[in-house]
Amino acid sequence: MRDTLTAPPARTQVPPRHLTGPNDLSLPLIEQLLDDAAVFERGDAEAAPLRGRLLATLFYEPSTRTRFSFEAAMHRLGGQVLSAENAAQASSAAKGESLEDAIRIVSGYADAIVLRHPEVGAVERAARAAEVPVISGGDGAGHHPTQALLDLYTIKKELGRLHHLRIGLAGDLRHGRTARSLALLLSRFPGNELIMISPPELRMGTDVLDQLNEARVDETDDLHGAITGLDVLYQTRIQAERFASLDEYERYRGVYVMTVDVMHRLPEHAILMHPLPRAGEIDPLVDADPRAAYFRQARNGLWIRMAVLDWAMGR
Ligand code: CP
């Protein structure tokens, strides 16, 4: 009986490679991950580098792109996946188990964990409790570092560079973890100008603004005025689930909507991005415009997440 069982690989003493937020990403690591993603996209990588490895995906909030692309990435790398797609209700969290205890337990079964959680800082807490790499799939209104990596990958692929760009981040910048992480990563590249476009109450947090030393930053609530000089417009959803009440959310719903008419203001060379899902911010009629990059952007998540898993679990 014993001979038929495959023992899990022995754990090494090397500290796990966590990715809990943008500050875990140095510029050389960002560049390495973007290059590796391009290798995976071209199909030039070693076959099945993560064969025999197990990834656990623990999602305490809903997801389509992040969970499916991480799981697809793991399968394409030759590994396998254990998944809790509704961990808040379908794991022992529903019986009161702490996040730390859950992570300690899952660390014993899997070689890495992707975690999405509604509380800011939850992924850092999980990393402290884990014996294996913990990768953020988003923590509340905190950060979403692999989304920011795939956003960089998309900008580089579409426009050919990540420097000396004018990028407008529009929508709910107070709660939008994708825009918060992307702003921090874009500020690492020289000459970028970030235009923060939001209602005053939904401004980008000072915790992010205070770290954007390398970039020029402007703030406005005027989308139509800001759009004309941009290379990238990064539209985001008003985050209904982060407001104290539906009434408060309703005050901002529909504040910025990209229509075919508004797209006329965006320069011909520019691209329109959105992390998705959209909830009315982009009229589906815009999808046919070649500058609408958001579905290509979502597809790029696969290559970036292959690169991130290979980095965290592979070499
Ligand atoms: N962009 C993003 O994080 O999408 P999901 O919520 O579907 O994972």
Side-chain angles (χ1 to χ4, degrees), residues 86-311:
N86 181 9
Q89 275 85 41
S91 76
S92 286
K95 295 183 260 180
E97 185 166 52
S98 71
L99 176 66
E100 283 81 356
D101 280 2
I103 292 291
R104 276 187 202 106
I105 299 304
V106 177
S107 278
Y109 305 149
D111 300 300
I113 298 168
V114 175
L115 174 66
R116 170 170 288 187
H117 199 278
E119 290 168 23
V120 174
V123 184
E124 287 172 9
R125 281 169 44 211
R128 285 195 288 275
E131 293 172 29
V132 298
V134 175
I135 301 164
S136 175
D139 64 330
H143 283 287
H144 196 348
T146 63
Q147 176 72 45
L149 285 169
L150 78 88
D151 294 337
L152 291 187
Y153 187 77
T154 301
I155 294 169
K156 190 172 179 189
K157 198 167 144 185
E158 301 271 337
L159 299 181
R161 69 185 196 278
L162 288 169
H163 58 87
H164 296 94
L165 292 167
R166 279 173 61 90
I167 302 114
L169 302 171
D172 183 356
L173 305 184
R174 179 171 135 208
H175 304 112
R177 60 193 173 199
T178 66
R180 289 167 47 80
S181 292
L182 181 58
L184 288 173
L185 293 197
L186 283 168
S187 74
R188 311 267 180 86
F189 294 85
N192 285 333
E193 185 175 347
L194 303 178
I195 296 97
M196 307 291 184
I197 307 161
S198 73
E201 300 82 1
L202 302 184
R203 286 182 59 207
M204 180 66 77
T206 52
D207 61 322
V208 170
L209 292 174
D210 289 348
Q211 294 184 65
L212 300 179
N213 304 333
E214 303 299 321
R216 180 172 162 197
V217 178
D218 291 316
E219 294 188 271
T220 178
D221 60 1
D222 178 11
L223 174 70
H224 291 193
I227 203 172
T228 53
L230 297 179
D231 300 303
V232 177
L233 176 60
Y234 191 92
Q235 176 77 310
T236 66
R237 182 171 64 90
I238 305 296
Q239 307 269 302
E241 66 275 32
R242 312 273 180 232
F243 286 90
S245 70
L246 194 59
D247 282 351
E248 193 186 356
Y249 163 65
E250 289 291 344
R251 282 208 289 278
Y252 305 107
R253 186 165 70 93
V255 65
Y256 302 128
V257 178
M258 289 303 292
T259 62
V260 170
D261 277 349
V262 182
M263 282 294 279
H264 287 135
R265 294 171 169 267
L266 190 68
E268 278 306 305
H269 75 276
I271 54 171
L272 173 62
M273 298 175 68
H274 192 304
L276 302 177
R278 58 181 160 183
E281 311 81 33
I282 301 179
D283 185 333
L285 291 173
V286 172
D287 298 355
D289 189 312
R291 296 170 295 173
Y294 31 90
F295 292 117
R296 301 191 291 276
Q297 177 186 353
R299 169 86 170 137
N300 290 333
L302 179 62
W303 318 121
I304 277 292
R305 286 168 178 137
M306 287 176 80
V308 167
L309 291 175
D310 189 42
W311 163 76

